[in-house]
Amino acid sequence: MEEIDKNRLIKDYLTGVDLSGANLQGINLSWANLSNIDLQGANLTGANLNGVNLNKSNLNETYLIQVSLVGADIIEANLMGSDLTKSVLMGTNLSSANLSGVNLSKANLSGCNLSYTDLSWANLSYANLSNCNLNNAILQRSCLNKTKLGFAE
């Protein structure tokens, strides 16, 4: 039987699919349309998600450690309680997303759109939020220890 290319399979066929709890460490999903997908509790540590569309997706308590999400669209997605430690999200659109309780320590979010995003109880220690749009973002009880906020709106 021919070996299945899991990267191609996911990119081509999984919009709206339930992958909750899946182990997808190191997978390359760059530029995939994964809107409305359920990745709750999945492990995507070290994945390449550059340019991916995760709009309105469920990433509640997902492991996204050292993930590359450069230029991704994650509008109105639920990332509550997820771990994005040391991830790169430069230029990512996270507007109206739920990031409450998320761990973004040492993450690079420079140039992100965080307008109307819920970042309450988020750990932003040592994160880079330079040039971010923070208009109407909720930062209540967030940890901003050593966070870079240069030129953020």
Side-chain angles (χ1 to χ4, degrees), residues 11 23 25 30 47 50 52 60 78 81 88 93 97 102-103 112 121-122 127 132 137-138 143 148:
K11 283 183 179 183
N23 183 359
Q25 288 186 52
S30 56
N50 291 335
V52 73
N60 186 33
N78 178 16
V88 179
N93 189 349
V102 73
N103 186 354
C112 280
W121 297 95
C132 283
I138 301 167
C143 178
K148 294 179 185 174

Short mmCIF file of all heavy atoms in Angstrom, two decimals, residues 11 23 25 30 47 50 52 60 78 81 88 93 97 102-103 112 121-122 127 132 137-138 143 148:
data_model
loop_
_atom_site.label_atom_id
_atom_site.label_comp_id
_atom_site.label_asym_id
_atom_site.label_seq_id
_atom_site.Cartn_x
_atom_site.Cartn_y
_atom_site.Cartn_z
N LYS A 11 -3.84 19.24 4.34
CA LYS A 11 -4.02 20.48 3.58
C LYS A 11 -5.21 20.39 2.64
O LYS A 11 -5.94 21.34 2.44
CB LYS A 11 -2.77 20.79 2.77
CG LYS A 11 -1.64 21.36 3.57
CD LYS A 11 -0.49 21.70 2.65
CE LYS A 11 0.65 22.30 3.40
NZ LYS A 11 1.74 22.70 2.51
N ASN A 23 -1.87 13.92 17.61
CA ASN A 23 -0.44 14.22 17.72
C ASN A 23 0.07 14.59 16.33
O ASN A 23 0.24 13.72 15.48
CB ASN A 23 0.33 13.02 18.26
CG ASN A 23 1.80 13.32 18.45
OD1 ASN A 23 2.27 14.42 18.16
ND2 ASN A 23 2.55 12.36 18.95
N GLN A 25 2.91 16.69 15.87
CA GLN A 25 4.19 17.35 16.12
C GLN A 25 5.00 17.48 14.84
O GLN A 25 5.14 16.52 14.08
CB GLN A 25 5.01 16.56 17.14
CG GLN A 25 4.49 16.63 18.54
CD GLN A 25 5.41 15.94 19.51
OE1 GLN A 25 6.61 16.22 19.53
NE2 GLN A 25 4.88 15.04 20.32
N SER A 30 1.63 24.74 6.29
CA SER A 30 1.70 26.11 5.79
C SER A 30 0.72 26.33 4.65
O SER A 30 0.57 25.48 3.78
CB SER A 30 3.13 26.44 5.35
OG SER A 30 3.58 25.54 4.38
N ALA A 47 5.42 22.69 14.77
CA ALA A 47 4.77 22.67 13.45
C ALA A 47 5.03 23.95 12.67
O ALA A 47 5.28 25.01 13.24
CB ALA A 47 3.27 22.46 13.62
N ASN A 50 2.77 28.59 8.91
CA ASN A 50 2.87 29.90 8.26
C ASN A 50 1.74 30.08 7.25
O ASN A 50 1.47 29.20 6.44
CB ASN A 50 4.21 30.05 7.54
CG ASN A 50 5.36 30.14 8.50
OD1 ASN A 50 5.21 30.54 9.64
ND2 ASN A 50 6.55 29.76 8.05
N VAL A 52 -1.37 29.93 7.49
CA VAL A 52 -2.54 29.05 7.63
C VAL A 52 -3.80 29.85 7.98
O VAL A 52 -3.72 30.90 8.60
CB VAL A 52 -2.27 27.95 8.70
CG1 VAL A 52 -2.29 28.51 10.11
CG2 VAL A 52 -3.24 26.80 8.57
N ASN A 60 -8.55 25.14 21.76
CA ASN A 60 -8.60 25.19 23.22
C ASN A 60 -7.61 24.17 23.80
O ASN A 60 -7.63 23.00 23.43
CB ASN A 60 -10.03 24.87 23.68
CG ASN A 60 -10.23 25.03 25.16
OD1 ASN A 60 -9.61 25.88 25.79
ND2 ASN A 60 -11.09 24.21 25.72
N ASN A 78 -10.71 30.07 19.11
CA ASN A 78 -10.61 29.83 20.54
C ASN A 78 -9.29 29.13 20.84
O ASN A 78 -9.11 27.97 20.48
CB ASN A 78 -11.78 28.96 21.01
CG ASN A 78 -11.69 28.64 22.49
OD1 ASN A 78 -10.95 29.27 23.24
ND2 ASN A 78 -12.44 27.64 22.93
N GLY A 81 -6.29 28.76 27.05
CA GLY A 81 -5.47 27.81 27.79
C GLY A 81 -4.40 27.10 26.96
O GLY A 81 -3.76 26.18 27.44
N VAL A 88 6.49 31.82 16.97
CA VAL A 88 6.67 33.02 16.14
C VAL A 88 5.36 33.29 15.41
O VAL A 88 4.91 32.48 14.61
CB VAL A 88 7.82 32.83 15.13
CG1 VAL A 88 7.98 34.07 14.26
CG2 VAL A 88 9.12 32.49 15.85
N ASN A 93 -2.96 37.64 12.22
CA ASN A 93 -4.21 38.31 12.54
C ASN A 93 -4.97 37.46 13.55
O ASN A 93 -5.49 36.40 13.22
CB ASN A 93 -5.06 38.52 11.28
CG ASN A 93 -6.26 39.40 11.54
OD1 ASN A 93 -6.59 39.70 12.69
ND2 ASN A 93 -6.93 39.81 10.48
N ALA A 97 -10.04 36.97 18.74
CA ALA A 97 -9.77 35.60 19.20
C ALA A 97 -9.83 35.54 20.73
O ALA A 97 -9.65 36.54 21.41
CB ALA A 97 -8.41 35.13 18.70
N VAL A 102 -3.77 31.88 27.91
CA VAL A 102 -2.78 31.31 27.00
C VAL A 102 -1.36 31.63 27.48
O VAL A 102 -1.13 32.64 28.13
CB VAL A 102 -3.01 31.83 25.56
CG1 VAL A 102 -2.60 33.27 25.42
CG2 VAL A 102 -2.34 30.97 24.54
N ASN A 103 -0.42 30.73 27.19
CA ASN A 103 0.98 30.97 27.53
C ASN A 103 1.70 31.42 26.26
O ASN A 103 1.90 30.62 25.34
CB ASN A 103 1.63 29.70 28.09
CG ASN A 103 3.05 29.95 28.57
OD1 ASN A 103 3.60 31.03 28.41
ND2 ASN A 103 3.65 28.93 29.16
N CYS A 112 1.43 41.93 14.98
CA CYS A 112 0.16 41.19 15.02
C CYS A 112 -1.03 42.13 15.18
O CYS A 112 -0.93 43.20 15.75
CB CYS A 112 0.13 40.22 16.20
SG CYS A 112 1.00 38.71 15.91
N TRP A 121 -5.61 36.96 31.74
CA TRP A 121 -4.89 35.88 32.41
C TRP A 121 -3.80 35.26 31.53
O TRP A 121 -3.29 34.18 31.83
CB TRP A 121 -5.84 34.79 32.91
CG TRP A 121 -6.80 35.28 33.95
CD1 TRP A 121 -8.07 35.72 33.72
CD2 TRP A 121 -6.58 35.42 35.34
NE1 TRP A 121 -8.65 36.12 34.90
CE2 TRP A 121 -7.75 35.93 35.92
CE3 TRP A 121 -5.49 35.15 36.16
CZ2 TRP A 121 -7.87 36.18 37.27
CZ3 TRP A 121 -5.61 35.39 37.52
CH2 TRP A 121 -6.79 35.90 38.05
N ALA A 122 -3.43 35.90 30.43
CA ALA A 122 -2.39 35.37 29.53
C ALA A 122 -1.00 35.63 30.12
O ALA A 122 -0.77 36.63 30.79
CB ALA A 122 -2.49 36.02 28.16
N ALA A 127 7.59 38.29 25.97
CA ALA A 127 7.04 38.26 24.61
C ALA A 127 7.33 39.57 23.90
O ALA A 127 7.52 40.62 24.53
CB ALA A 127 5.53 38.02 24.66
N CYS A 132 2.24 45.98 17.47
CA CYS A 132 0.96 45.26 17.47
C CYS A 132 -0.22 46.23 17.57
O CYS A 132 -0.11 47.29 18.18
CB CYS A 132 0.88 44.30 18.65
SG CYS A 132 1.81 42.81 18.44
N ALA A 137 -8.25 45.40 22.99
CA ALA A 137 -7.83 44.09 23.51
C ALA A 137 -8.04 44.06 25.02
O ALA A 137 -7.93 45.09 25.70
CB ALA A 137 -6.37 43.82 23.18
N ILE A 138 -8.35 42.91 25.54
CA ILE A 138 -8.55 42.73 26.99
C ILE A 138 -7.28 42.12 27.57
O ILE A 138 -6.89 41.00 27.21
CB ILE A 138 -9.76 41.82 27.27
CG1 ILE A 138 -11.02 42.41 26.66
CG2 ILE A 138 -9.92 41.59 28.77
CD1 ILE A 138 -12.20 41.44 26.63
N CYS A 143 0.09 38.70 32.58
CA CYS A 143 1.45 38.89 33.05
C CYS A 143 2.25 39.53 31.92
O CYS A 143 2.42 38.93 30.86
CB CYS A 143 2.07 37.55 33.45
SG CYS A 143 3.78 37.72 33.98
N LYS A 148 7.94 43.30 25.51
CA LYS A 148 8.31 44.42 24.63
C LYS A 148 7.04 44.96 23.98
O LYS A 148 6.33 44.23 23.30
CB LYS A 148 9.28 43.95 23.55
CG LYS A 148 10.62 43.53 24.07
CD LYS A 148 11.52 43.08 22.94
CE LYS A 148 12.82 42.54 23.50
NZ LYS A 148 13.66 41.96 22.44
#
